């Protein structure tokens, strides 16, 4: 899925003040491309992913298109349907439902729409691929950070989405689990999915095709080799 972002500006309005977080961000990601995004904490990376997914409103004159969807003209319902069918979002904070087991959490977004048995089979397969087959009946409180992260990844992959928005999806994993996830995502890319991947882990950069750096809400392309030696100049 192709992503085209032009002049994206995002202001968070609070009771006290308005905070401009993204400044005139431009980004084009080609179908099947993997783009990494790095940047200091608080620079606006998660905000950018949420804008791409249409989860939060953007300022006037910002345009985001995802394949055929022009976000600025879409209704909330159209955005929600598009997200459900075409976007897998791996949240930095997992966003799992505490009352449900791992396998139920993976199935939940699709439960109102699809056959329960088929979903359950697919969810279990995904959890197995993510080395969690022994934890499918555990609720989030009984899972470690890395296990919760893998449940969140399984949920994002459930629908074979054309676009994967990954917000530090390997931040809590040991090296082996991280590499296993990266291989799964690489396979997703080989199948034609587009990936936007936020990370602090510079060892991940070679998996992607390009690196963008977010600096105080401004996004610019950087050379991966230079970043590897001097990440935050
Ligand atoms: N809902 C909100 N209302 C007001 N300010 C917000 C809101 N969400 C985030 N912010 C602020 O916007 C800025 C960017 O936040 P964001 O979560 O996008 O950063 P980030 O680059 O993802 O950081 P990290 O690497 O720590 O995850 C921060 O200063 C944050 O405090
Ligand atoms: Mg973040």
């Amino acid at each position: 899925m192709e992503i085209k972002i032009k002049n994206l500006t995002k202001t968070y309005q609070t009771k006290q003040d308005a905070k401009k977080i993204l400044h005139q961000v431009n980004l084009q990601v080609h179908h099947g491309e993997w783009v990494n995004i790095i940047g200091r904490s608080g620079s606006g990376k998660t905000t950018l992913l949420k804008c791409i997914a249409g989860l939060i409103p953007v300022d006037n004159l910002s345009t985001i298109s995802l394949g055929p969807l022009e976000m600025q003209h879409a209704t909330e319902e159209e955005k929600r349907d598009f997200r459900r069918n075409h976007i897998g979002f791996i949240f930095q904070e997992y966003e799992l439902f505490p009352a449900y087991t791992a396998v139920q959490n993976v199935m939940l977004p699709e439960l109102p729409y699809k056959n329960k048995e088929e979903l359950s089979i697919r969810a279990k397969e995904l959890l197995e691929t993510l080395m969690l087959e022994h934890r499918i009946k555990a609720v989030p409180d009984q899972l470690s950070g890395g296990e919760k992260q893998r449940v969140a990844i399984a949920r994002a992959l459930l629908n074979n989405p054309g676009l994967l928005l990954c917000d530090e999806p390997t931040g809590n994993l040991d090296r082996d689990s991280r590499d296993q996830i990266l291989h799964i995502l690489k396979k997703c890319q080989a199948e034609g999915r587009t990936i936007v991947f936020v990370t602090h882990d510079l060892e991940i950069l070679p998996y992607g095709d390009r690196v963008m750096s977010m600096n105080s809400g401004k996004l610019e392309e950087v050379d991966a080799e230079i970043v590897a030696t001097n990440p935050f100049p």
Side-chain angles (χ1 to χ4, degrees):
M1 182 187 304
E2 187 167 31
I3 307 174
K4 282 186 195 159
I5 300 173
K6 285 199 191 116
N7 295 322
L8 169 59
T9 301
K10 167 68 191 172
T11 306
Y12 282 119
Q13 199 76 44
T14 59
K15 274 192 191 128
Q16 296 78 24
D17 58 358
K19 270 208 301 186
K20 199 171 190 179
I21 302 298
L22 300 179
H23 301 264
Q24 302 271 319
V25 167
N26 292 299
L27 174 67
Q28 187 157 358
V29 183
H30 302 298
H31 179 87
E33 199 177 16
W34 176 328
V35 172
N36 286 311
I37 298 182
I38 57 167
R40 285 179 201 278
S41 178
S43 59
K45 304 177 302 294
T46 296
T47 302
L48 172 64
L49 290 190
K50 287 184 176 168
C51 291
I52 296 176
L55 286 167
I56 52 175
V58 299
D59 295 1
N60 282 342
L61 306 178
S62 308
T63 63
I64 299 177
S65 62
L66 304 178
L69 182 83
E70 292 184 0
M71 201 78 84
Q72 68 276 20
H73 300 307
T75 62
E76 286 307 313
E77 195 185 357
E78 284 167 342
K79 286 191 232 178
R80 201 175 49 239
D81 283 351
F82 190 86
R83 259 198 307 277
R84 187 171 78 74
N85 290 314
H86 304 290
I87 301 180
F89 200 125
I90 307 171
F91 291 95
Q92 190 169 12
E93 316 283 349
Y94 323 125
E95 312 284 347
L96 301 177
F97 292 95
Y100 294 95
T101 64
V103 69
Q104 286 168 337
N105 262 286
V106 175
M107 295 161 63
L108 265 179
E110 285 302 312
L111 215 43
Y113 310 97
K114 291 200 179 134
N115 176 281
K116 195 174 164 189
E117 276 67 45
E118 282 171 25
L119 274 178
S120 161
I121 291 169
R122 165 100 180 120
K124 282 178 189 155
E125 271 171 16
L126 279 167
L127 287 169
E128 202 173 310
T129 320
L130 291 157
M131 301 144 296
L132 273 181
E133 64 274 18
H134 58 299
R135 302 298 282 138
I136 58 172
K137 290 197 174 137
V139 293
D141 262 357
Q142 299 164 333
L143 296 171
S144 73
E147 287 171 341
K148 282 191 273 229
Q149 195 152 41
R150 281 179 281 155
V151 175
I153 293 170
R155 182 181 56 190
L157 295 176
L158 183 74
N159 239 357
N160 287 318
L163 173 61
L164 278 167
L165 300 173
C166 313
D167 201 353
E168 309 212 25
T170 55
N172 276 315
L173 302 177
D174 59 80
R175 239 195 172 77
D176 280 352
S177 311
R178 176 198 72 180
D179 291 346
Q180 238 144 347
I181 302 277
L182 290 169
H183 280 109
I184 292 169
L185 293 177
K186 207 65 201 161
K187 220 173 109 207
C188 290
Q189 186 195 12
E191 289 164 7
R193 288 175 236 287
T194 305
I195 297 178
V196 181
F197 195 108
V198 167
T199 184
H200 282 113
D201 180 354
L202 300 178
E203 289 182 18
I204 287 176
L205 301 186
Y207 284 86
D209 301 310
R210 281 195 287 147
V211 186
M212 307 292 295
S213 172
M214 185 69 90
N215 296 305
S216 309
K218 296 200 174 88
L219 191 70
E220 57 183 23
E221 181 143 6
V222 288
D223 185 320
E225 279 172 27
I226 293 173
V227 171
T229 50
N230 189 12
F232 301 117

